[in-house]
Amino acid sequence: MPVKKSKTKKIDDNKKVAVANRTIAKKVPLKKDAALAKSKTLKKPALPPVASKSKVLYIDACFFFPPGNGGYTDNYQDGRYSANGMLVAPVLLRVGSVMKSVTIYYKNNTTEDITVWILKHHIDHHAYSGEVEVTYEACPPGTSAPDNFLQKVINHFDAGGKILDKYMYHIEIGPTMKTATQERLLRGIRIVYTEPV
């Protein structure tokens, strides 16, 4: 004789099936959810490095001073010269910047060159050497209509022009001078450089 199932047993079985169906539904994500989960796990492609854009810095002659206690004279638009001949200024670029070119603007109607040094020396006073030459160039005499302003582009530098950490950089220009008929004057400089990426 067949055994009759009780109503409570039937209700319990139905609950178990409903719970199982809900569990399965939770475990199987919808297509939309699967696509969203997949998109979250995808890695973004690495972007190629962006080439640094060149920047330009102008430094007027009024930022150059003679080393030591020498005096200097401003000849207004014509430029500056010093009593002891030399003019010096710091090169204020961020560490990691790269100098591409330095243009010297000057007047020189004498028979001698104006020399230009960019030098660096280590911040550590126990460093093995003193000043190290970053570049050296001569600005020759000449004339140029209408006002004899000349320019010299320098594009060769130690370490490829990179401004290294723990070094201090400066530029020395000279000898400058002025008499009634002759002059060697600095008007200013232009630095083309890129900043660190």
Side-chain angles (χ1 to χ4, degrees):
M1 166 162 133
V3 179
K4 261 189 171 183
K5 287 186 180 177
S6 71
K7 283 187 179 181
T8 55
K9 173 85 171 145
K10 200 173 191 181
I11 290 169
D12 288 344
D13 288 345
N14 287 343
K15 278 184 181 175
K16 284 180 185 174
V17 170
V19 168
N21 285 343
R22 265 187 261 137
T23 306
I24 290 168
K26 281 182 182 175
K27 285 182 182 174
V28 178
L30 297 173
K31 284 184 181 178
K32 184 178 170 185
D33 293 340
L36 183 64
K38 192 175 181 183
S39 71
K40 283 182 181 176
T41 59
L42 287 177
K43 290 183 179 176
K44 292 183 180 176
L47 297 173
V50 179
S52 294
K53 193 175 178 182
S54 289
K55 297 191 174 195
V56 176
L57 174 68
Y58 285 93
I59 303 175
D60 187 82
C62 69
F63 286 92
F64 284 79
F65 293 92
N69 297 321
Y72 64 89
T73 304
D74 280 320
N75 212 33
Y76 305 104
Q77 281 283 21
D78 287 351
R80 175 175 278 191
Y81 65 97
S82 71
N84 67 10
M86 295 304 296
L87 290 168
V88 180
V91 176
L92 299 176
L93 296 177
R94 287 172 51 197
V95 170
S97 298
V98 177
M99 289 185 292
K100 299 297 185 181
S101 69
V102 175
T103 305
I104 312 298
Y105 299 98
Y106 67 100
K107 287 181 95 169
N108 184 0
N109 67 355
T110 69
T111 57
E112 294 179 37
D113 294 339
I114 298 175
T115 52
V116 178
W117 294 270
I118 296 178
L119 302 165
K120 67 181 179 186
H121 58 283
H122 203 280
I123 191 73
D124 182 359
H125 66 284
H126 295 297
Y128 64 92
S129 68
E131 294 174 338
V132 177
E133 189 177 287
V134 176
T135 193
Y136 167 81
E137 193 60 71
C139 299
T143 56
S144 173
D147 48 19
N148 290 334
F149 282 121
L150 304 169
Q151 65 182 48
K152 179 73 176 184
V153 177
I154 304 167
N155 56 13
H156 50 91
F157 307 100
D158 174 55
K162 187 170 186 177
I163 303 297
L164 303 175
D165 194 14
K166 298 192 176 177
Y167 279 91
M168 298 173 287
Y169 291 76
H170 70 278
I171 184 167
E172 292 183 10
I173 296 177
T176 58
M177 52 82 73
K178 181 171 172 59
T179 66
T181 57
Q182 295 187 316
E183 54 190 7
R184 288 193 300 269
L185 306 171
L186 172 68
R187 184 140 193 248
I189 68 170
R190 175 183 189 259
I191 303 176
V192 177
Y193 68 100
T194 57
E195 289 193 326
V197 180

